[in-house]
Structure formats: structure tokens, C-alpha cells
Amino acid sequence: MWITPDIELGDWEITEQFVRASGPGGQNVNKVATAVELRFEAARSPSLPDSAKRRLRHIAGRRWTREGAVVIQVSETRSQARNRTIARARLADLIRRSLAKPKPRVKTSVPRGQRRRRLEQKKRRSAIKALRRSEEDLD
């Protein structure tokens, strides 16, 4: 399965298991296993660089198992082939997102005008509260 022109996943890295789906489908839902459970052995994959594996683990979240596999479950349609296509597309999207290096954050300082406005607001608020105080409170 091709992810990018540089990255191809081997057949041994991906396993698919078809299970019965819940939801609408009438009597057919009890007979046909249309939902797909796609499992990608990400931690053992020689196709992905280590940095991409780390980002994939973060992006995958709960779909990442202790064994280092990404599990994607799809039961959107009543067609086994369509669910399989959707699952493979989601996996490819996850991997493409993990390949993109995040842009480093550039630390900025608070603008001078913003600091000035904040201090003026504090002075106005202080003046309002000062007017509420009686002379007895000041003693």
C-alpha cells in the first residue's frame, strides 16, 4: 500500500479482520461480517522513520495498542469492500499527518501597546472600586 511516493507499507504490516457490524441492515446484519478492523504494526514497521512513529503514536491516541499497532475500526457502510477502502484511507491519512514535521513555535513578547492597555484597564477598575469604599473602610 503506497502512502507517499517514498513510503510503501508491506502486506505483512497490515492485517484486516472482518466482523459483524451493529446498526441498521435488517436480517443481513446477522449473517454478513461487513465491519472491518484494520491493524497496522507501526512500531515494527521498517517503512516509517522513528520521528514519524513517535508523531503517529501521539496522533493515533487510543487507537495505538501496547504492542505498538494502530487499530482502525470502520462499520460505516453495509459494504465490506467500501468499509475496507475507508479504513485504508484513514490509515494513509494518519501516516501522512505523522510524516509532516510540526512547525517550531516562535516565542514572542507581549506588545507594548497591549501592556499599556492592560495597565490602563487595571487603573480604571481600581478607581471604580475606590469609589465604592466608604471613609470608614479607609481608616
Side-chain angles (χ1 to χ4, degrees), residues 64-119:
W64 185 276
T65 65
R66 278 193 212 110
E67 297 84 38
V70 176
V71 178
I72 298 174
Q73 295 174 329
V74 178
S75 60
E76 289 181 9
T77 67
R78 289 168 61 174
S79 164
Q80 192 180 70
R82 182 74 185 117
N83 283 336
R84 184 175 185 237
T85 306
I86 293 169
R88 285 176 168 257
R90 285 186 188 169
L91 175 64
D93 182 53
L94 275 177
I95 294 172
R96 279 190 206 101
R97 283 175 37 208
S98 73
L99 292 171
K101 292 182 179 135
K103 199 167 74 172
R105 183 184 180 279
V106 178
K107 190 173 180 181
T108 59
S109 60
V110 180
R112 201 176 315 148
Q114 183 67 40
R115 268 185 290 205
R116 182 182 45 77
R117 283 190 295 274
R118 183 178 60 84
L119 291 173

Side-chain angles (χ1 to χ4, degrees), residues 56-65:
L56 180 60
R57 182 177 186 163
H58 179 72
I59 293 168
R62 289 191 340 231
R63 292 174 288 199
W64 185 276
T65 65

